[in-house]
C-alpha cells in the first residue's frame, strides 16, 4: 500500500461530514480512506474546540512542513560534530545552547548504520 496525502477535496468532505455528526469510521468509508487516516487528520488539525476547518488544516500542514526543514547551516553544524565523534543527543543539546536551533524544530538525529 502506498502513502498518499489527503486532497483538499477530501479535507472539505471531512469538514462537512464531521459537521453532520458522522463518526470517524463513517467519514473514512465515505471518502475512501482508512479510519486511522481520518483520526490522525482530526487529531492533528482540529481546533481546541474540536472544530475541523479544511482551509485551516491545509495552512497548518504547510507551516509544519516549512518548520521541519534544516537550513544549510544546521546541516553543516551537524555533520561537523558527527565527524568529531559527538552523539546525536550531544549535538542536539549543544545546538540549543548555542542558539543554533529553534524550539519548534525537532532534531531527530541518528548515525547511519555501517555495514548494511
Amino acid at each position: 500500500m502506498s502513502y498518499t496525502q489527503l486532497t483538499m477535496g477530501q479535507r472539505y468532505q471531512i469538514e462537512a461530514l464531521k459537521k453532520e455528526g458522522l463518526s470517524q469510521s463513517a467519514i473514512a468509508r465515505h471518502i475512501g480512506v482508512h479510519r486511522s487516516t481520518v483520526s490522525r487528520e482530526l487529531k492533528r488539525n482540529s481546533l481546541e474546540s474540536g472544530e475541523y476547518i479544511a482551509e485551516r488544516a491545509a495552512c497548518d500542514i504547510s507551516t509544519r512542513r516549512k518548520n521541519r526543514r534544516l537550513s544549510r547551516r544546521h546541516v553543516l553544524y551537524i555533520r561537523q560534530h558527527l565527524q568529531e565523534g559527538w552523539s546525536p543527543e550531544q549535538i542536539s543539546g549543544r545546538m540549543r545552547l548555542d542558539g543554533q536551533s529553534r524550539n519548534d524544530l525537532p532534531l531527530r538525529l541518528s548515525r547511519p548504520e555501517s555495514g548494511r
Side-chain angles (χ1 to χ4, degrees), residues 5-43:
Q5 296 178 352
L6 290 172
T7 65
M8 262 323 285
Q10 288 172 316
R11 287 192 175 92
Y12 284 123
Q13 287 180 310
I14 291 171
E15 179 180 350
L17 296 170
K18 187 172 185 324
K19 283 180 183 175
E20 289 180 19
L22 271 67
S23 69
Q24 291 179 9
S25 293
I27 294 170
R29 280 192 302 276
H30 188 77
I31 66 173
V33 298
H34 196 275
R35 67 180 183 269
S36 65
T37 300
V38 173
S39 175
R40 277 192 306 273
E41 179 69 12
L42 292 172
K43 182 178 179 183

Side-chain angles (χ1 to χ4, degrees), residues 61-85:
I61 291 164
S62 177
T63 300
R64 280 195 301 270
R65 283 188 192 134
K66 288 177 187 173
N67 285 341
R68 74 173 176 216
R69 293 191 178 113
L70 292 173
S71 70
R72 180 169 169 72
R73 180 175 51 99
H74 288 118
V75 172
L76 292 173
Y77 188 94
I78 292 165
R79 281 188 186 153
Q80 174 189 351
H81 287 84
L82 283 174
Q83 289 172 347
E84 292 174 7

